[in-house]
Amino acid sequence: MTERKRRIAPSVLAANFAELGQAVSIAEKAGADWLHLDVMDGNFVPPITFGAQTVQALRSLSSLPLDTHLMTVHPAQHIDAFIEAGSDRVTFHLEAEIHAHRLLGALKERKVAAGVAIVPSTPVSALKELLPYLDQVLVMTVNPGWGGQAMIPSTLKKIEELAALRTAGAGDYLIAMDGGFSPKTASKIWEAGADMAVMGSAFYGAEDPSKAMKEAREA
Ligand code: DX5
Ligand code: ZN
């Protein structure tokens, strides 16, 4: 069983891309648990961010677990590149993959933690058959594509639902959330039952990122 505690993963999406090395040290200094890497392809979501080459560069800068969030169509075509680049955890979107079960198997075979993300309009019930195979569920608490958006309050119910299902024995997955996490919203998120929160603009945009992370963790 994966140990459950309050994990926070800064998203480099909100960092200065000209100073990624600095972004990594800011996260490490603050006590980040993982580094969250938002890969956007211009199809699944409108923006394009970065690819496996950037993940590889970040790998060489840090020993933090790399939590790669694929916001791409056809994720099965991309996983090898992102695993070879050094991802420790790979999460793809259920909405982008018909054969999610097969892809989860492929991730496990490659010894990376296997995650599935759902956008706000996808219900938890859509994950029912996959829960026993998942290391992580990523509940999008905003519509993916951009950092700095306000959390959609109704998405918290999905975190609660996933926690209840886990208690009932549906699987042994971590519950992660992504979008609008900050020292202000944190208590609601932990209360709902999240094990991991992605922290983008509220971390890198903070005057003192270490303090912001500490406040959010202890909220
Ligand atoms: C949004 C990305 C998020 C983003 C979160 O599509 O998946 O990881 O970086 O940013 P904040 O924390 O600013 O909402
Ligand atoms: Zn993300």
Side-chain angles (χ1 to χ4, degrees):
M1 193 170 89
T2 322
E3 190 209 349
R4 288 174 204 144
K5 54 174 193 173
R6 291 180 176 184
R7 291 182 171 81
I8 297 180
S11 166
V12 299
L13 183 65
N16 176 359
F17 275 34
E19 300 281 359
L20 283 179
Q22 206 190 343
V24 167
S25 5
I26 293 170
E28 285 178 345
K29 211 179 102 207
D33 296 278
W34 305 342
L35 211 53
H36 184 78
L37 307 178
D38 288 305
V39 176
M40 304 189 191
D41 68 348
N43 283 293
F44 184 75
V45 286
I48 299 175
T49 54
F50 51 80
Q53 203 176 350
T54 304
V55 175
Q56 196 177 2
L58 288 164
R59 174 77 295 160
S60 69
L61 292 170
S62 179
S63 55
L64 281 178
L66 300 182
D67 180 47
T68 299
H69 176 191
L70 294 178
M71 282 164 276
T72 72
V73 296
H74 309 306
Q77 292 176 12
H78 300 298
I79 61 159
D80 283 344
F82 285 95
I83 293 170
E84 272 152 38
S87 303
D88 300 279
R89 321 182 63 84
V90 175
T91 295
F92 63 90
H93 270 268
L94 183 63
E95 302 84 7
E97 180 57 60
I98 295 169
H99 305 292
H101 180 267
R102 180 162 65 205
L103 189 48
L104 289 171
L107 288 170
K108 281 178 179 273
E109 219 166 273
R110 302 288 308 269
K111 308 274 184 260
V112 293
V116 162
I118 50 172
V119 302
S121 60
T122 300
V124 166
S125 58
L127 291 170
K128 185 169 173 256
E129 299 300 325
L130 297 176
L131 292 178
Y133 307 99
L134 285 167
D135 295 312
Q136 174 173 335
V137 179
L138 184 65
V139 177
M140 291 301 305
T141 42
V142 298
N143 284 295
W146 296 272
Q149 303 180 76
M151 188 181 75
I152 301 168
S154 59
T155 56
L156 286 178
K157 284 202 294 285
K158 295 203 269 186
I159 297 174
E160 289 170 6
E161 240 180 287
L162 283 161
L165 284 164
R166 187 173 63 189
T167 305
D172 179 26
Y173 42 82
L174 290 182
I175 304 169
M177 63 75 66
D178 189 0
F181 179 79
S182 74
K184 281 204 180 108
T185 59
S187 64
K188 284 194 191 106
I189 288 153
W190 301 132
E191 245 166 64
D195 308 293
M196 189 287 260
V198 174
M199 193 173 183
S201 47
F203 180 72
Y204 284 110
E207 210 171 295
D208 182 345
S210 295
K211 185 166 161 251
M213 183 179 292
K214 189 169 183 287
E215 279 172 14
R217 209 191 285 279
E218 291 167 4

